[in-house]
Amino acid sequence: MFASPLVTLLSIPSPAEGVWHLGPVPVRAYALCIIAGIVFAIWLGEKRWVARGGEPGEVSDLAIWAVPFGLVGGRLYHVITDWELYFGEGKNPVTALYVWRGGLGIWGAIALGALGVWIFARLRGIKLLPLLDALAPGVLVAQAMGRWGNWFNQELFGRPTDLPWGLEIDVAHRPSQYLDVATYHPAFLYECLWNLAAFALLVWLDRRFRLGHGRVLALYVMLYTAGRGWIENLRIDDVQMDDVLGLRLNVWTSIVLFVLAALFFVWSARRHPGREEVVRTRDPEPEPGDEAEAEGTDGSGGADERETAGPTA
């Protein structure tokens, strides 16, 4: 049996609570971490998209589609792959809607989030791949920030460890077989640091080689899944599909997506070297009022021309 490690001065404490109340309104740390990540991803995505030739404000508009789709997709993936937590004898299916308790599967979030991006791109006449290339690095940072919500919820930790940076977990949150163990691998922190390192590498590679045609997105998938695979193997939390041919489902998902992304990267580099010069399929539609303003200032008989015209000789 694993000997209970001692809590040291260097071990990482877990927050005593992750919910604060402003009167009757609960403020949840998990939600704040996710919102902060989304805000950063929108800000960085906007800067990168404009640099690629997009219009200012388009990524903010895109968030109206991508964020709700992503949240729904993330929750659906979690509920589908761990349905026994919510359905069956003694379970309350309504708790499947309690997103604030944790449980957002990144694969579902990416899949449905990408669907939201595709719908937006079609409506606005934007090419999908350069848009996804602009967004991908910011998503890595958003994921890193969101992982701190797991810290507040005392979830996403790994096997017991006596390393100095072991994460302290309260008895109420420990797996039943490790009730006498105090510290665990801080898997949430490992993934946060991995994502930040992957972000830095991805941005450098994009600037150095001017990646295009979906290759930034492919590298994002490869870098993230490479880290998620080994971090997932550290985890000991109960999941429904923890032994699929000897590996957890999320490990297999990481392997499959890494291979597919690598194949796409090679195909894209051979088929479409360089970066897109045009990022739209059609010109952006003018904002309301722009057309009328143009008619009055384009020299075609508008007020400005009549006022400045001199007397007839």
Side-chain angles (χ1 to χ4, degrees), residues 157-160 175 177-178 184 232 234-238 248:
F157 52 87
R159 295 190 294 268
Q177 67 272 36
Y178 296 113
Y184 301 78
E232 191 73 22
L234 290 175
R235 295 175 63 174
I236 55 174
D237 49 318
D238 294 329
R248 293 164 70 108

Side-chain angles (χ1 to χ4, degrees), residues 174-253:
R174 298 174 191 172
S176 58
Q177 67 272 36
Y178 296 113
L179 293 179
D180 60 340
V181 178
T183 55
Y184 301 78
H185 280 285
F188 85 92
L189 181 59
Y190 296 162
E191 186 168 328
C192 172
L193 296 176
W194 179 275
N195 288 347
L196 293 177
F199 161 76
L201 178 59
L202 187 58
V203 170
W204 179 81
L205 289 171
D206 187 29
R207 289 177 177 175
R208 173 67 177 80
F209 298 103
R210 290 184 53 80
L211 301 172
H213 300 278
R215 290 192 288 280
V216 177
L217 174 66
L219 279 175
Y220 154 73
V221 174
M222 293 165 64
L223 289 170
Y224 176 71
T225 54
R228 182 62 184 268
W230 69 266
I231 294 171
E232 191 73 22
N233 268 328
L234 290 175
R235 295 175 63 174
I236 55 174
D237 49 318
D238 294 329
V239 293
Q240 194 168 331
M241 299 184 183
D242 63 348
D243 188 2
V244 179
L245 300 177
L247 296 174
R248 293 164 70 108
L249 174 63
N250 281 335
V251 176
W252 280 116
T253 305

Side-chain angles (χ1 to χ4, degrees), residues 60 91 121 133 177 199 280:
S60 299
K91 304 296 184 181
D133 280 346
Q177 67 272 36
F199 161 76
R280 316 188 74 91

Side-chain angles (χ1 to χ4, degrees), residues 49-275:
W49 177 238
V50 171
R52 289 289 295 269
E55 293 293 316
E58 284 183 321
V59 172
S60 299
D61 294 342
L62 160 68
I64 298 174
W65 288 89
V67 172
F69 272 69
L71 291 175
V72 171
R75 190 60 176 177
L76 279 176
Y77 181 91
H78 168 71
V79 172
I80 290 172
T81 55
D82 280 301
W83 62 268
E84 289 182 347
L85 296 175
Y86 309 101
F87 304 98
E89 186 177 355
K91 304 296 184 181
N92 182 5
V94 176
T95 58
L97 303 176
Y98 295 173
V99 180
W100 54 87
R101 292 184 178 177
L104 291 174
I106 185 61
W107 313 122
I110 290 175
L112 275 195
L115 175 61
V117 174
W118 177 80
I119 294 173
F120 175 84
R122 293 274 294 180
L123 293 174
R124 289 294 187 92
I126 294 172
K127 291 183 178 180
L128 180 62
L129 289 181
L131 179 57
L132 292 174
D133 280 346
L135 297 175
V139 174
L140 273 170
V141 179
Q143 290 173 249
M145 297 172 73
R147 282 310 180 197
W148 286 91
N150 301 124
W151 179 54
F152 280 96
N153 283 358
Q154 295 200 42
E155 58 188 3
L156 193 60
F157 52 87
R159 295 190 294 268
T161 181
D162 55 2
L163 291 170
W165 57 84
L167 176 66
E168 300 171 23
I169 297 295
D170 295 340
V171 174
H173 298 278
R174 298 174 191 172
S176 58
Q177 67 272 36
Y178 296 113
L179 293 179
D180 60 340
V181 178
T183 55
Y184 301 78
H185 280 285
F188 85 92
L189 181 59
Y190 296 162
E191 186 168 328
C192 172
L193 296 176
W194 179 275
N195 288 347
L196 293 177
F199 161 76
L201 178 59
L202 187 58
V203 170
W204 179 81
L205 289 171
D206 187 29
R207 289 177 177 175
R208 173 67 177 80
F209 298 103
R210 290 184 53 80
L211 301 172
H213 300 278
R215 290 192 288 280
V216 177
L217 174 66
L219 279 175
Y220 154 73
V221 174
M222 293 165 64
L223 289 170
Y224 176 71
T225 54
R228 182 62 184 268
W230 69 266
I231 294 171
E232 191 73 22
N233 268 328
L234 290 175
R235 295 175 63 174
I236 55 174
D237 49 318
D238 294 329
V239 293
Q240 194 168 331
M241 299 184 183
D242 63 348
D243 188 2
V244 179
L245 300 177
L247 296 174
R248 293 164 70 108
L249 174 63
N250 281 335
V251 176
W252 280 116
T253 305
S254 296
I255 293 171
V256 171
L257 289 177
F258 180 93
V259 172
L260 291 176
L263 291 174
F264 176 84
F265 184 92
V266 173
W267 173 86
S268 175
R270 292 180 176 178
R271 184 73 179 271
H272 303 289
R275 178 180 287 181

Side-chain angles (χ1 to χ4, degrees), residues 293-310:
E293 182 180 347
E295 289 178 356
T297 58
D298 64 358
S300 58
D304 291 347
E305 183 180 353
R306 290 194 300 270
E307 291 175 1
T308 58

